[in-house]
Amino acid sequence: MKILLAACNAKYIHSNLAVYNLKAYANQYKEHIILKEYTINQLKDDIMKDIYLEEPDVICVSCYIWNISFVKELMRDLHKIMPDVPIWAGGPEVSFDAQDFLRENPAFAGVMVGEGEETFLELVRYYAEGGAGEGKTLSGIRGIAFREGDEIRHNGWRDTMDLSTVPFAYQDLKEFQNRIIYYESSRGCPFSCSYCLSSVDKKLRFRDLELVKKELQFFLDHKVPQVKFVDRTFNCKHDHAMAIWTYIAEHDNGITNFHFEISADLLREEELSLMKTMRPGLIQLEIGVQSTNPDTIRAIHRTMDFGKLSAIVNRIHSFGNIHQHLDLIAGLPFEDYESFRRSFDDVYALRPQQLQLGFLKVLKGSHMKEMEAEYGIIHKEQEPYEVLSTNWLSYRDVLRLKMVENMVEVYYNSGQFENTLRTIEPLFADAFSLYEALGCFYEEKGYDTVSHSRMRRYEILLEFVRERLDERMDRPGQQEMEGTGQSHLCSWEQAADAMVHDLYLRENLKSRPSFGMDQKPYEKAVWEYRRRENVDRTSHIEVFRDGRVLLFDYTKRDPLMHNACVTEISL
């Protein structure tokens, strides 16, 4: 008996913790189980061939919002050539409407509903031994929906399990080379955010801390580059979070980075004091703000004190050692375009290393799904069920926000334009207006339909700045205001210098940007400085229009942004 556990991940760098947990939990039947990971970017024919040649007796496949259509089509064709092989689905995309899923997808024999480890073990036992527990039939397995003749039966959801009974999934790291390692120390969530499936599982459970420490040490010993905790709100239990953060701080190997999704306003002084002492890059924090509109926060049943959150984010930022990733969600109830602008500006002012502008996904099983009619939510039929419009946000508004999102990804989240953005922001009433205007500029020029090199992105931005400055100078009274010294607006030259600064922060360019100041008059002085101070030739020295001279040392880099160490010098 051969049972194939299959995962179709969104990208190669991802790994599917769920199927590894299933295999580990059913380890007593390990001779019957094989695990295969694919990606949705592979040809379906190649995956189908690989599964067919494995000659499995049973197929179990993991389903979630990024792969469900791909999986349904793949299994539909696979069933045609392997009609006697039962195909089981599991995961959030099939758990909440299991019976409807089976009616609409005849290729599948059944669905594992909800938490899967115990269910999978019993299912493996059923196929491997011809029986499942006392009933020795599928009817005796809790947590499944399945076909019985022409009928579809649902045995109900099983009770949640003790997380500490799940064996450690990572025994051999060879197959995880160049891939993200995911790890969970808790399941469930104490909060009730209406857009999130984690709020459905109110039974919050924690893995035994001694087990967690042992498993974290495994990652540390093997110098894994990054471990991403999938705990929905990692710091919801202070003692648990503090114990883990203390352990990784005390056992830091100088390499491994740990990623946590937290609620910043729950952090206590003890945790912040510890964070301040951590190696730069040891941890990174993802913080879901979602909105700063009080009506929206109440409507989505979210618990957040934005004033407290802001103070804590700013404090962590002052440490200079922790990467912070802040999230916003467009399309939430009571958030119109102008309200979202305010939310964006509120979060942007915190200057996180990453600002993710996401769009509401109306997930099966979530409270938001139940409220879609009341809120006038229209969303895509295909996964990931992304919002198209609401009572407060038109589709045209969504398109405008998509445009802003793209500009934020290119110019802010890339981390390649930090000095440039700070220089040109005074040209706009607020940060949102900058990205809004830049997005419009891209569309007007047709730049949004073309792929651009890094240097071209700078050239387009400089073209945009020039046009913006020209527009301001054409306005009545603007020239007089510029001449009074009352304006703090940047000049084209200042913008160009900021771009040169940003370019050389990342690398010693092989060819100079066209907008950089001519360096020939300074070549002799630079050469003499290098000789006198014994400066490595791999470093770069740049003279700017305002008279500053900066040395970019690429042998020393910022551990958070990987920028060169910069020192102001005198020639």
Side-chain angles (χ1 to χ4, degrees), residues 498-522:
M499 291 181 186
V500 171
H501 189 166
D502 283 327
L503 278 163
Y504 280 108
L505 275 175
R506 286 300 175 95
E507 61 179 320
N508 195 351
L509 302 171
K510 293 180 180 178
S511 57
R512 283 189 57 74
S514 59
F515 46 81
M517 188 177 78
D518 184 11
Q519 299 292 293
K520 286 184 179 179
Y522 310 100

Side-chain angles (χ1 to χ4, degrees), residues 194-205:
S194 61
Y195 52 82
C196 181
L197 286 180
S198 295
S199 64
V200 177
D201 183 1
K202 302 304 293 182
K203 295 181 180 178
L204 182 60
R205 294 147 285 152

Side-chain angles (χ1 to χ4, degrees), residues 89-103:
E93 264 302 292
V94 294
S95 289
F96 296 97
D97 62 349
Q99 290 164 292
D100 289 341
F101 175 82
L102 289 174
R103 291 188 191 99

Side-chain angles (χ1 to χ4, degrees), residues 434-445:
L434 162 59
Y435 297 97
E436 182 183 48
L438 184 55
C440 290
F441 180 79
Y442 261 72
E443 290 190 351
E444 290 166 3
K445 300 291 185 179

